[in-house]
Amino acid sequence: MNYKNLNECIVDLEKNGQLVRVTEEVDPNLEMAAIHLKVFEKNGPALFFENIKGTKYKAVSNLFGTIVRSKFMFRDTFTKVQKMVELRNNPIAALKSPFKFASTGIAAINALPKKSSFSSAGFKEVTISDLPLIKHWPMDGGAFVTLPQVYSEDCDKPGVMNANLGMYRIQLNGNNYELNKEIGLHYQLHRGIGIHQTKTNKKNLPLKVSIFIGGPPSHSLAAVMPLPEGISELTFAGAIGGRRFRYAYVDGFCISLDADFVITGEVYPNENKPEGPFGDHLGYYSLTHEFPLMRVHKVFAKENGIWPFTVVGRPPQEDTAFGALIHEISGSAIPNEIPGVKEVHAVDAAGVHPLLLAVGSERYTPYLKNKRPAELLTQANRILGTGQLSLAKFLFITGSDTDEIDTHNVRAFFKYMFERIDLKRDLHFYTKTTIDTLDYSGDGVNEGSKLVVAAYGNKIRDLSNVLPPSIKSSAFISHPVMMMDGVIGLMLNEFSTYENAKSEIQKLSDYIIQNKNEFNGIVQIVIYNDFKFEINPSNLNDYVWITYTRSNPSHDIYGVEESVENKHWGCNGPMIIDARKKPHHAPELKILPETEKSIERFFKKGASLEKWA
C-alpha cells in the first residue's frame, strides 16, 4: 500500500487484524506508555487511542512493533528499495542482471520531492498545549515527541535536496520551558542537524527547524534511516512510501503537507535550556543537561490529526523492529563502505551503541602458519570512524576464511571469540574518548572509553560450562551463575568507590589464582548486583544488557595477573568486568505500581484490550 497519510495506514492495519482501537478514556500521563509496553511485550497489535484526556486528537503507537507488521506496511515497495540500495552498492550488478533492477526506475521517480500548495493541505494553526502531551516514565521532565521528523536545511546550500531529516527527541513542556513558546531539541553526536547549526552559529543566524509528526509511516522510517551524507532523507521517504514527499514553504519554514502536525521554530546560537530527564532506549534515564532551545514560531494540525508515538526503554522495544527493518534494507551497504568487513551487528539487547559484533577479513599474511589479528585492527579503526558506529563502546571483531560466523547469533559468536582470544594480546583500549550521549557509564556526558577485542586464528581453549566447585563455598562471593560457556556472573559487595573496587577485585583475583585449575576454560567474569538473571540457552539479553551498559572499559575491566607491557594491557587469567551500579549511573526505568494498577481496566473482561491481558 502506498499510503497518502497516516489514517490510510491505520485503516489498512485494522482491516488486516493488526490494529486495535482503545475506546476508553486514557490519561497521557504515564498510562498510554504503560499500555503500550504491556501490549508490545505480548507481541501485540498497533494501538489506536481514540479518547485521550486533555486533547481532541487521537494517537497511535506500536506501528513498527514487529518486523512482520513493518514489512507489511511497505509490502508494495520494500523489494524495489532493496534493489535500489543493492544497485547503489554494486552498480555493476545492473549490467549483469538488467531485468532484476528494471523496477528501480519507478522507485527513483517517487524519490523526487514535490512542491505543492500549503492552502490545500488542510492545516489549522493550534498551540503546543492543544497536542497530546504524553509523559512516558515517572521521572521524565515533561511530555516528549518520540516519533518526530526534525527537518533542517544547510544555510550554504538551501533546499530540500540538501536538507536533513532526523529523529531527535523533542520536549514539549516541563522544566523551565515557557509553554507554547519554547520547546527542547535534543540531538546527539554525529547528527546532520549539528552540522547545520554549526554553520548558522558561525554566521550568528538562527537555524530554522520544522518538526513533522505523523504522515505516512515511510516518513518516520526515513527520519531514522542512516543515509550517506549528502543524500536527502526526503528522497528515501518517497521511494519506500511509493509516493513523492509533498512540501511547501510558509514564513521560510518547510512544511510536510502529508504530516498530521507541524511545529516550526528557530534555534538561536548559544541559547540552551535544561532538557530531560527522559526514559531512554538503553533502559535507563537520560538525565537533565543543557540542550538547544527552540523558540516556537507556529504550530499546525490537521482537523483529524493522528499523533504517532513510541515508548523506549530497556531493549528490545519498538525501535528494535526499526533497526531490523533498516538492516534488511541496507545490510549490504557495510561491506561496500568498509573494505574487508563482512558484517556488523549493533546488539539491540545491549542498547545498540554499547556493543558491536563484527566479522572482518584477514588477508595481510596468508603465508604465515600462526594466525593472529592484523587487518582486523585496521578494519576496527574504520568501523569506529564510521558515522554512528563510532559511538560503539565495545567492539568484538573476528575473521573467518569461511562464512560460518553469524554476528546475529550472539551466543555462538561469543563462543567463537572466547575460544580464540589471547587475553595478553587481543584487548585494545581507547581512553578519554567520546561515547554515546545516553551512556552514563563513563566520566561525563559523551565521555568515556572503548575496547576493541580482536581475536583470530585457531581455537586455543575449550570453554567451561560448569561453575568451579569452590566458588559456591566462598565467603565473599554470592549468587554465582554460568551466563554462557566461558562466562561466570557473580555478586560482590555493593559498589562504593573505585579504590575499594580495586581491593575487592584483587581479592577475587587472588582466589582465582589459588584455584587456578578450576577456572580453566573461563574467559570472562562479570560482577553484578541488584539483579535476578534469567539465563537460558535461548536468552542472552540479561548478560549483554548488564555487562555492556553498566561498564566503562578503562575503569571497570580488570584481569587475573594483569600487566602492562609497552603501554599495552593484558592478563593471564580471566578478564573481570565490574558491571555493578555506580553512583554516577542513571536510574533504571520502572513503571510505578499505581500506574500498573490504573491500566488494569483496559485489560479486564469486555474492555478494548482484554485479549492482551
Side-chain angles (χ1 to χ4, degrees):
M1 287 288 290
N2 299 333
Y3 307 119
K4 295 179 181 178
N5 50 53
L6 184 53
N7 186 64
E8 286 190 359
C9 174
I10 288 171
V11 170
D12 184 39
L13 291 178
E14 185 175 34
K15 179 181 176 181
N16 287 276
Q18 298 195 52
L19 178 140
V20 169
R21 293 175 181 260
V22 181
T23 56
E24 301 93 335
E25 184 183 63
V26 60
D27 195 332
N29 181 33
L30 304 181
E31 283 192 349
M32 292 174 71
I35 292 168
H36 167 104
L37 290 168
K38 185 177 177 71
V39 173
F40 173 84
E41 188 177 11
K42 300 287 182 67
N43 203 33
L47 299 171
F48 187 44
F49 295 92
E50 293 188 316
N51 187 2
I52 303 171
K53 185 178 180 180
T55 181
K56 72 173 187 177
Y57 297 108
K58 298 174 174 60
V60 66
S61 76
N62 209 28
L63 285 174
F64 297 90
T66 68
I67 185 65
V68 172
R69 183 155 59 249
S70 296
K71 293 177 73 170
F72 175 81
M73 291 188 293
F74 304 115
R75 57 193 181 276
D76 292 342
T77 58
F78 192 80
T79 302
K80 295 175 185 177
V81 171
Q82 279 183 313
K83 290 178 180 178
M84 284 181 66
V85 173
E86 185 179 345
L87 187 60
R88 171 188 167 273
N89 293 332
N90 184 15
I92 202 70
L95 299 178
K96 294 180 178 179
S97 307
F99 294 106
K100 176 182 177 182
F101 296 97
S103 63
T104 61
I106 299 172
I109 293 172
N110 287 327
L112 296 174
K114 180 179 181 180
K115 192 171 185 179
S116 301
S117 168
F118 174 77
S119 60
S120 63
F123 282 112
K124 291 186 178 180
E125 194 170 339
V126 298
T127 65
I128 296 292
S129 57
D130 293 323
L131 305 175
L133 299 177
I134 303 172
K135 182 177 178 180
H136 298 77
W137 294 98
M139 289 175 56
D140 281 0
F144 286 83
V145 189
T146 51
L147 282 180
Q149 306 146 40
V150 183
Y151 176 96
S152 61
E153 294 187 7
D154 186 330
C155 62
D156 293 334
K157 296 181 289 184
V160 295
M161 294 306 289
N162 295 308
N164 177 74
L165 190 73
M167 191 168 285
Y168 320 121
R169 73 174 188 243
I170 306 297
Q171 185 169 344
L172 295 175
N173 64 3
N175 298 358
N176 60 345
Y177 295 117
E178 189 174 352
L179 184 61
N180 296 321
K181 295 183 179 181
E182 299 173 343
I183 58 178
L185 173 58
H186 176 117
Y187 65 84
Q188 300 167 48
L189 302 178
H190 301 284
R191 300 303 199 266
I193 191 173
I195 298 171
H196 292 171
Q197 189 180 5
T198 298
K199 289 186 175 184
T200 55
N201 283 357
K202 286 181 178 179
K203 297 182 179 183
N204 201 31
L205 296 172
L207 175 69
K208 290 184 178 296
V209 175
S210 301
I211 301 166
F212 313 142
I213 302 109
S218 56
H219 294 191
S220 294
L221 180 59
V224 295
M225 192 70 189
L227 298 177
E229 198 168 316
I231 297 180
S232 172
E233 287 81 8
L234 305 191
T235 61
F236 178 82
I240 192 69
R243 186 172 186 269
R244 296 172 67 182
F245 188 100
R246 284 153 170 77
Y247 71 97
Y249 281 92
V250 176
D251 300 335
F253 294 91
C254 184
I255 307 293
S256 167
L257 298 179
D258 291 331
D260 290 73
F261 304 87
V262 178
I263 304 170
T264 61
E266 294 177 313
V267 178
Y268 283 79
N270 305 313
E271 194 168 76
N272 302 323
K273 273 194 174 183
E275 185 265 359
F278 175 73
D280 228 312
H281 71 265
L282 267 67
Y284 309 94
Y285 283 97
S286 173
L287 302 179
T288 303
H289 301 287
E290 296 280 322
F291 276 97
L293 171 71
M294 178 171 158
R295 298 186 190 179
V296 176
H297 177 67
K298 288 182 179 179
V299 183
F300 300 104
K302 300 283 179 66
E303 180 62 30
N304 296 311
I306 300 168
W307 185 271
F309 73 98
T310 188
V311 184
V312 291
R314 180 187 163 178
Q317 296 295 344
E318 185 180 358
D319 52 334
T320 301
F322 258 132
L325 193 64
I326 290 169
H327 176 74
E328 288 210 25
I329 294 171
S330 63
S332 60
I334 288 292
N336 291 278
E337 291 184 16
I338 307 177
V341 175
K342 302 175 182 178
E343 188 177 342
V344 176
H345 176 205
V347 181
D348 182 78
V352 180
H353 292 145
L355 177 62
L356 290 185
L357 309 181
V359 176
S361 307
E362 272 298 346
R363 303 164 296 186
Y364 281 0
T365 54
Y367 48 85
L368 294 181
K369 292 183 179 180
N370 296 325
K371 297 179 179 180
R372 60 181 296 164
E375 187 179 4
L376 290 179
L377 297 175
T378 302
Q379 293 158 1
N381 284 326
R382 277 293 298 270
I383 291 171
L384 294 179
T386 301
Q388 293 186 41
L389 296 178
S390 65
L391 297 176
K393 186 168 61 173
F394 288 86
L395 168 58
F396 287 78
I397 184 169
T398 189
S400 173
D401 300 326
T402 69
D403 294 325
E404 66 189 52
I405 309 171
D406 178 6
T407 59
H408 287 77
N409 186 339
V410 176
R411 184 181 293 274
F413 181 90
F414 273 121
K415 185 174 187 292
Y416 186 91
M417 288 283 295
F418 291 159
E419 288 174 339
R420 288 160 176 78
I421 185 173
D422 181 336
L423 293 167
K424 290 284 286 186
R425 180 192 66 195
D426 293 341
L427 278 63
H428 308 272
F429 289 84
Y430 296 63
T431 60
K432 293 188 179 297
T433 186
T434 54
I435 59 174
D436 187 5
T437 304
L438 308 179
D439 191 328
Y440 287 87
S441 65
D443 303 314
V445 180
N446 298 132
E447 298 176 2
S449 62
K450 301 178 187 293
L451 173 65
V452 171
V453 182
Y456 177 71
N458 298 324
K459 177 179 173 181
I460 63 174
R461 69 174 62 82
D462 291 319
L463 300 178
S464 174
N465 60 7
V466 295
L467 287 171
S470 65
I471 202 170
K472 296 178 182 179
S473 59
S474 173
F476 67 100
I477 294 172
S478 62
H479 297 85
V481 60
M482 288 303 304
M483 294 182 166
M484 59 181 291
D485 289 358
V487 180
I488 294 174
L490 55 85
M491 291 178 67
L492 298 181
N493 295 326
E494 294 289 314
F495 181 93
S496 55
T497 66
Y498 276 105
E499 184 177 357
N500 288 339
K502 289 179 182 178
S503 298
E504 292 162 352
I505 292 172
Q506 184 59 56
K507 185 177 179 181
L508 175 62
S509 297
D510 292 341
Y511 158 75
I512 293 171
I513 292 170
Q514 292 168 8
N515 300 274
K516 191 170 184 179
N517 291 337
E518 293 186 12
F519 285 83
N520 289 334
I522 299 299
V523 174
Q524 189 183 88
I525 295 174
V526 180
I527 305 171
Y528 64 95
N529 65 329
D530 190 30
F531 193 83
K532 182 178 180 181
F533 278 93
E534 297 178 3
I535 299 295
N536 61 62
S538 63
N539 177 26
L540 272 185
N541 287 355
D542 289 345
Y543 162 71
V544 297
W545 186 63
I546 289 290
T547 306
Y548 299 105
T549 66
R550 293 185 179 178
S551 58
N552 178 17
S554 62
H555 288 54
D556 296 324
I557 291 183
Y558 305 82
V560 176
E561 296 182 325
E562 64 181 58
S563 61
V564 176
E565 182 179 353
N566 298 324
K567 301 182 178 63
H568 179 83
W569 184 94
C571 58
N572 287 326
M575 61 185 293
I576 301 170
I577 302 180
D578 187 351
R580 292 177 291 183
K581 290 182 181 178
K582 317 296 191 305
H584 60 278
H585 285 184
E588 289 177 45
L589 302 180
K590 295 180 180 178
I591 298 175
L592 295 174
E594 52 264 38
T595 303
E596 291 181 337
K597 185 171 180 60
S598 74
I599 66 170
E600 288 177 358
R601 67 188 190 276
F602 295 94
F603 299 91
K604 67 182 182 181
K605 187 174 181 180
S608 298
L609 301 174
E610 176 189 355
K611 183 179 177 181
W612 306 101

